[in-house]
């Protein structure tokens, strides 16, 4: 157990990345895909996680060999880089504020409905649930130590992974479904392309990769830890795939067969409860709670981390700036539950903005990795450059589909 503990801590940034990336939006997307199309979109998830590994390694390598964070590198080494880095900085902060509000709204609605199912009545008040969650998370933030945040995230990501794996083994889809899912194909049903873009958007996110370089600095890793960094990147990509795949599979093994598509997590919980029983559903809900909390902590830390990276200064976790910025962010999380906005709308807008940031993030890193004065003999080789070119093409195609899909969706609303 001691050796296992050391192994887990050695890949700590991977848990930060997974906790950040896999949230309630990912679960809604994977559950919707599995319930509507079975495992036929598994190939999209495989591609997204494979490309995520490439960018995790790219951003990690840049930091290991230069000692710089990605935002500072963009600002310093790219012509007009100050405007590029500020665009990325402002865009990421805006996206994450919206995402935080959406996550808090979704999770408080879930707890409200779940407690109503368990104990009868109306369930716990969403506003009070949001306040209690905010107090607990902010109390952890005030302790102000990266190693503590890492261990907390390992705990909640562990709960999430184990919960969804247990659900997967309770209701697995057939082996033939998995085989069909590996073969690339786009379902002919309406909105299939939008869902493909959503799968990519919830797994292959710009903030994940920018934060990656910051985490390398926080761990004080350098070129000597290149092997650790590669293992860490692989661990993050594999865990993202496992969690997302098990949620998709749980929906495919039950709701797809029943012909009951879902767009909300609580709908999936309500539909599965008669089939699996309250105990199995509670395991699934614990996974969702783990996903929500493990994504909220990195989101709250994102703004001070990005600002410190832009300024090329160490993060002061017990400093006034860190505590004020995280405190303001947690207040934004209360907006949706208090004002009773629709949390899904906030999540949709945040995903839409990510579409425009991702190509910038990939292109900027490709340029930096090929700078001889920065990377010296460690410049990107043929494999990395070819992979990044494919990723750029992939992101442009997905971005186009996402924009068209969002325009059609909003047109139908208005």
């Amino acid at each position: 157990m001691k050796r296992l503990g050391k192994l887990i801590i050695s890949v700590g940034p991977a848990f930060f990345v997974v906790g950040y990336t896999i949230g309630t939006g990912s679960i809604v997307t994977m559950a919707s895909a599995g319930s509507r199309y079975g495992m036929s979109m598994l190939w999209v998830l495989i591609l997204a996680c494979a490309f995520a590994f490439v960018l995790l390694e790219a951003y990690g390598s840049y930091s290991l060999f230069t000692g710089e964070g990605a935002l500072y590198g963009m600002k310093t080494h790219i012509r007009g880089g100050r405007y590029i880095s500020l665009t990325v900085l402002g865009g990421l902060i805006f996206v994450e504020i919206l995402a935080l509000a959406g996550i808090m709204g979704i999770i408080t609605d879930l707890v409200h409905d779940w407690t109503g199912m368990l104990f009868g009545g109306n369930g716990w008040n969403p506003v009070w649930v949001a306040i209690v969650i905010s107090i607990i998370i902010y109390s952890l933030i005030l302790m102000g130590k990266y190693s503590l945040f890492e261990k907390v995230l390992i705990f909640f990501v562990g709960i999430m992974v184990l919960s969804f794996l247990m659900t997967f083994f309770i209701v697995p889809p057939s082996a033939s479904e998995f085989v069909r899912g590996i073969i690339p194909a786009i379902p002919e049903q309406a909105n299939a392309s939008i869902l493909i873009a959503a799968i990519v958007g919830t797994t292959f996110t710009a903030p994940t990769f920018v934060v990656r370089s910051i985490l390398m600095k926080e761990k004080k890793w350098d070129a000597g830890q290149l092997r650790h960094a590669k293992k860490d990147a692989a661990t993050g990509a594999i865990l993202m795939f496992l969690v997302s795949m098990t949620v998709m599979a749980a929906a495919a093994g039950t709701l797809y067969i029943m012909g009951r598509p879902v767009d909300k997590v609580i709908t999936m919980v309500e539909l599965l409860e008669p089939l699996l029983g309250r105990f199995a559903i509670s395991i699934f809900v614990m996974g969702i709670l783990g996903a929500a909390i493990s994504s909220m902590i990195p989101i709250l830390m994102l703004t001070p981390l990005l600002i410190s990276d832009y300024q090329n200064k160490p993060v002061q976790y017990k400093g006034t700036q860190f505590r004020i910025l995280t405190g303001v962010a947690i207040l934004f999380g209360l907006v949706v539950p208090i004002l009773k906005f629709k949390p899904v709308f906030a999540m949709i807008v945040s995903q839409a903005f990510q579409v425009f940031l991702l190509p910038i993030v990939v292109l900027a890193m490709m340029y930096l990795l090929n700078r001889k004065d920065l990377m010296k003999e460690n410049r990107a080789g043929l494999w990395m450059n070819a992979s990044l070119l494919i990723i750029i093409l992939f992101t442009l195609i997905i971005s186009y589909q996402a924009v068209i899909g969002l325009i059609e969706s909003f047109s139908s609303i208005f």
Side-chain angles (χ1 to χ4, degrees):
M1 292 301 295
K2 188 175 181 180
R3 290 180 65 186
L4 177 62
K6 287 182 179 180
L7 175 63
I8 293 174
I9 293 296
S10 72
V11 292
F15 287 88
F16 193 102
V17 166
V18 174
Y20 173 84
T21 306
I22 305 295
T24 50
S26 301
I27 295 166
V28 170
T29 300
M30 300 305 161
S32 181
S35 66
R36 291 175 183 276
Y37 309 112
M39 299 300 292
S40 63
M41 291 190 177
L42 182 62
W43 65 273
V44 181
L45 181 60
I46 293 173
L47 277 180
C49 291
F51 291 156
F53 166 72
V54 173
L55 280 184
L56 287 173
E57 186 175 349
Y59 271 80
S61 296
Y62 178 78
S63 182
L64 291 177
F65 290 117
T66 65
E68 298 175 352
L71 278 180
Y72 181 75
M74 293 176 196
K75 181 180 75 170
T76 309
H77 305 298
I78 300 177
R79 182 176 295 180
R82 182 180 179 185
Y83 303 105
I84 295 173
S85 58
L86 284 175
T87 299
V88 174
L89 174 65
L92 293 182
I93 291 173
F94 179 68
V95 162
E96 296 322 302
I97 286 174
L98 288 174
L100 181 65
I103 290 170
M104 185 68 85
I106 290 172
I107 202 64
T108 51
D109 285 350
L110 174 67
V111 171
H112 169 76
D113 294 336
W114 178 46
T115 51
M117 289 169 57
L118 287 179
F119 309 117
N122 294 323
W124 295 348
N125 187 294
V127 175
W128 283 109
V129 171
I131 291 172
V132 170
I133 291 175
S134 299
I135 291 172
I136 293 172
I137 292 177
Y138 193 59
S139 298
L140 292 171
I141 296 264
L142 289 178
M143 294 181 184
K145 195 174 181 182
Y146 173 76
S147 59
L148 173 65
F149 301 145
E150 200 173 77
K151 290 172 183 175
V152 171
L153 283 168
I154 288 171
F155 174 75
F156 283 111
V157 170
I159 289 177
M160 174 174 64
V161 173
L162 290 174
S163 298
F164 290 141
L165 279 175
M166 290 175 67
T167 308
F168 168 72
F169 284 115
I170 293 172
V171 285
S174 65
S176 59
E177 276 287 306
F178 277 99
V179 174
R180 282 196 295 268
I182 296 173
I183 302 170
I186 299 176
E188 296 180 359
Q189 293 93 327
N191 295 327
S193 60
I194 298 175
L195 200 49
I196 288 174
I199 291 173
V200 175
T202 56
T203 310
F204 191 63
T205 60
T208 301
F209 311 122
V210 175
V211 169
R212 169 75 172 171
S213 64
I214 304 172
L215 298 180
M216 296 295 98
K217 292 177 63 180
E218 291 303 302
K219 291 288 284 188
K220 296 181 172 56
W221 285 358
D222 55 24
Q225 278 76 41
L226 181 62
R227 185 178 176 184
H228 276 304
K230 287 180 180 291
K231 181 172 66 174
D232 183 81
T235 302
I238 290 169
L239 286 177
M240 281 192 282
F241 173 76
L242 278 178
V243 174
S244 301
M245 181 274 293
T246 51
V247 176
M248 183 187 292
T254 53
L255 304 179
Y256 175 66
I257 296 172
M258 298 162 60
R260 304 290 296 273
V262 298
D263 293 303
K264 298 180 180 179
V265 172
I266 190 57
T267 308
M268 184 171 181
V269 172
E270 291 169 347
L271 292 174
L272 287 178
E273 195 268 341
L275 180 66
L276 302 180
R278 291 187 178 183
F279 175 72
I281 287 302
S282 295
I283 293 174
F284 186 76
V285 171
M286 288 303 295
I288 299 170
L289 290 172
I293 295 174
S294 67
S295 61
M296 287 174 67
I297 293 174
I299 288 174
L300 289 172
M301 295 170 59
L302 185 71
T303 299
L305 285 174
L306 291 174
I307 291 174
S308 297
D309 181 16
Y310 180 81
Q311 297 173 338
N312 198 31
K313 294 180 179 179
V315 183
Q316 301 295 331
Y317 292 103
K318 292 186 178 181
T320 303
Q321 176 178 281
F322 185 85
R323 293 180 174 182
I324 290 175
L325 290 173
T326 51
V328 171
I330 202 106
L331 291 177
F332 275 104
L334 298 175
V335 169
V336 170
I338 291 175
L339 299 182
K340 298 181 179 179
F341 289 155
K342 291 183 178 180
V344 175
F345 179 75
M347 296 296 290
I348 289 174
V349 175
S350 70
Q351 300 261 342
F353 270 84
Q354 298 226 39
V355 163
F356 302 104
L357 291 173
L358 192 54
I360 299 173
V361 166
V362 179
L363 282 167
M365 183 47 60
M366 186 175 182
Y367 173 79
L368 292 173
L369 288 177
N370 282 279
R371 285 278 297 264
K372 187 175 181 179
D373 57 329
L374 292 174
M375 301 297 292
K376 299 181 173 58
E377 68 275 7
N378 301 299
R379 281 190 303 170
L382 178 62
W383 178 86
M384 178 60 74
N385 281 318
S387 299
L388 291 174
L389 284 173
I390 294 171
I391 289 172
I392 290 169
L393 179 62
F394 179 73
T395 57
L396 291 175
I397 293 172
I398 295 298
S399 298
Y400 174 77
Q401 287 192 335
V403 170
I404 297 300
L406 286 171
I407 291 173
E408 290 175 351
S409 298
F410 280 106
S411 298
S412 63
I413 294 173
F414 298 106

